[in-house]
Amino acid sequence: MRDGQARIHENMTITWVGVAAACATFVPPHLAVRQRGGRRAWPPPVAVLTPSAMAVPPWVASPPSDEVWNDEIRAGWEMAYTSVAGEYEYEISEIEGTIPADLKGSLWRNGPGNFERGGQRFEHVLDGDGYLGRISIDGSAGRASFKGRFVRTKDFEEEEAADAILKRNTFGTQPEGGVLANAGRLALKNVANTNVVTLGGKVLALWEAGMPQRVVPSTMDCEGNDDLDGSLLEGGLVVSTGFEGVDRMLGLGQGFTAHPRIDPTSGRLAGFSWASKLDQSAVLATVREWDQGSGRAAHATRVELAGSLAPHDFAITPSWYVFAHNAMALEVLPFVAGLKGPVRTAVHAPTPTPTPTPKPRPGPWPRPQPKPRPKPKRGPAPTQVECLKTTGGGVKLQLV
């Protein structure tokens, strides 16, 4: 029986690490380490990872074997945790296929790109500073280019200038100095590393516990907080008394989801702002919808959600907004005392069952109509971008 369980655990470990390896084989554009002229900069700063009991899923009794945790797997993980060496712009020289003449636009991506400051490693990959990658395609010229820049928020600029971690982070990264340096410092760093969307001609880098960061589409310069035309309350802490006027006087703020949704029928962008009530009894949220092209607000719906933690994500249907409550609660004292970051104080809620909660969506909404089948056209099949991948340290564009 024990041998059978051991084999199951080993197979689970192989599967888990195999999936991680598959993810790690795709090197996102922001890890394309280049110097001027397109040459690779070598060696880049590398994270050193070693297997431990804390680095495996909870159902695995021991670290993976040397056969599973091999050099190839380790190299993939180290690359995933390697900081970007700089900000780059270059033409994409490797293009498979032909770019259609009428294909023109930009593909944006965002993710953590820096994992250390002043010799101090961040505690978690999701505390990493946001790095934007933009792939621009001009079919009329048959050209494509890549540009990558950090989301240079005010927090990022201050830490870069000081070459030190100055603010506390969600997943445990904190300034050096222990309790004396962190007790009572409750405002978190906006890492702007989770998502990127466009709205009314603006590009917004998102992180779900703070304000969207407005980015200039052409230069990729960060212009700072964007309150979505006065929709969001800008402040230091994402908590609420339940009275907006009081919140403004106290300097309290709101976060905005990093996972807005696009309604396939109307084309509107839907997202929610949120703040936890001071007594942790509920999350106060407002779901808003905008015309994505013009940026005009359509309507706003206030909702109150049980629990103290904001939902990570939500879904929309023609008639409902659907939230899944976090089955977790925060132990506030260790965070306030500077002992732990917010995520490390999370514990199972008294009723540890995620509960889907629908909230009515303003309407009436037209039922989606089936789209007529297009008549077949003579000539070559339409060409489309199928995937983007890196080869030799750069970006390769593949079209079919």
Side-chain angles (χ1 to χ4, degrees), residues 303 305 320-325 355-361:
V303 297
L305 305 171
W320 301 91
Y321 303 119
V322 183
F323 296 87
H325 292 179
T355 306
T357 302
K359 298 291 182 180
R361 188 177 173 199

Side-chain angles (χ1 to χ4, degrees), residues 307-309 325-330 346-354:
S308 59
L309 295 177
H325 292 179
N326 279 312
M328 306 290 287
L330 292 181
V347 296
H348 286 294
T351 309
T353 304

Side-chain angles (χ1 to χ4, degrees), residues 87 105 181 238 249:
E87 299 176 323
V238 187
M249 287 192 303

